């Protein structure tokens, strides 16, 4: 999708449920405790995977959603912060439209800490955002915890211990915890509508897109 956006000049959005897994960032893969962290993830029923964008370990439960916004670029050297700010604003508006009481920011010692996050108002982290930039396009992506906090807290605690990174299990929030829907389909529709906005959308099955190794 990222390659197609760069080649065509047309932005693209995908929101989906990856299924139970634990996605490690590139920094995790170079940590001394990485092998132990992967073993812990498997022991808790979260198959480990590596993602191409930045950030630290993130756990996906059955109701967790991932989103990706592929944006064509004229100049890869500019616009990084603007894209982050736009994504945070979009996620905030979408979740609020769905009925969740959320704010920008995150509590201390949260998973995958970063400046561009969404949290339950006064509570735990709901969504985090990362970005990958190539010469002709950028991929702004993230995840949204819809309902399941318990399994995520249970696996992230020993994973972060293995990676020697601070983590507070109470920092995990969810859309449902913020008063929004526990149904991932409802949240998915809200996120899609937010990222598409007023633009006309050509809906495609991701399985029909050409594969890319990049």
């Amino acid at each position: 999708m990222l390659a197609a956006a760069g080649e065509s000049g047309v932005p693209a959005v995908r929101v989906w449920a990856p299924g139970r897994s634990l996605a490690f960032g590139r920094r995790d893969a170079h940590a001394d405790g990485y092998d132990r962290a992967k073993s812990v993830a498997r022991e808790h029923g979260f198959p480990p995977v590596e993602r191409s964008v930045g950030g630290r370990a993130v756990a996906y439960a059955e109701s967790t959603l991932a989103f990706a916004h592929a944006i064509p670029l004229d100049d890869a050297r500019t616009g990084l912060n603007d894209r982050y700010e736009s994504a945070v604003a979009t996620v905030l508006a979408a979740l609020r439209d769905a009925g969740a009481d959320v704010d920008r920011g995150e509590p201390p010692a949260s998973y995958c800490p970063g400046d561009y996050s969404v949290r339950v108002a006064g509570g735990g982290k709901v969504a985090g955002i990362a970005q990958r930039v190539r010469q002709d396009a950028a991929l702004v992506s993230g995840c949204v915890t819809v309902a399941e906090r318990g399994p995520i807290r249970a696996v992230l605690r020993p994973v972060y211990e293995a990676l020697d990174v601070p983590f507070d299990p109470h920092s995990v929030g969810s859309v449902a915890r913020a008063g929004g829907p526990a149904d991932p389909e409802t949240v998915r529709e809200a996120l899609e509508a937010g990222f598409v906005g007023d633009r006309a959308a050509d809906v495609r099955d991701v399985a029909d897109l050409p594969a890319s190794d990049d």
Side-chain angles (χ1 to χ4, degrees):
M1 192 175 74
L2 176 62
E7 293 168 2
S8 68
V10 178
V13 174
R14 183 187 180 201
V15 184
W16 75 105
R20 181 174 282 222
S21 60
L22 205 143
F24 289 96
R26 285 172 290 185
R27 290 177 63 190
D28 300 321
H30 293 93
D32 291 339
Y34 183 48
D35 289 339
R36 174 58 185 156
K38 290 191 294 183
S39 295
V40 168
R42 292 190 189 97
E43 291 167 6
H44 283 74
F46 284 78
V49 298
E50 292 183 19
R51 65 184 191 276
S52 61
V53 294
R56 305 306 296 251
V58 175
Y60 297 83
E62 280 75 4
S63 68
T64 302
L65 295 175
F67 63 86
H69 187 197
I71 305 169
L73 300 180
D74 293 324
D75 186 350
R77 298 169 296 179
T78 64
L80 182 75
N81 290 335
D82 289 342
R83 290 188 294 272
Y84 270 124
E85 294 289 352
S86 177
V88 171
T90 298
V91 172
L92 276 173
L95 296 183
R96 287 170 177 169
D97 286 346
D101 184 12
V102 290
D103 288 326
R104 177 175 175 163
E106 62 185 10
S110 68
Y111 65 91
C112 195
D115 295 331
Y116 302 97
S117 302
V118 174
R119 66 184 294 180
V120 177
K125 183 171 180 175
V126 173
I129 297 171
Q131 189 169 170
R132 177 189 176 195
V133 181
R134 48 180 262 172
Q135 184 174 1
D136 56 0
L139 189 71
V140 183
S141 61
C143 66
V144 176
T145 302
V146 176
E148 297 158 295
R149 296 167 63 239
I152 291 174
R153 293 165 67 173
V155 68
L156 286 183
R157 184 169 187 171
V159 162
Y160 272 77
E161 286 179 354
L163 296 171
D164 195 25
V165 177
F167 170 69
D168 179 1
H170 296 290
S171 68
V172 179
S174 69
V175 175
R177 188 78 170 180
D183 173 29
E185 184 67 15
T186 301
V187 179
R188 181 188 65 80
E189 292 175 354
L191 290 169
E192 286 181 343
F195 279 105
V196 172
D198 296 331
R199 291 168 293 191
D202 178 16
V203 180
R204 300 185 183 183
D205 190 324
V206 69
D208 296 333
L209 294 176
S212 173
D213 294 329
D214 188 11

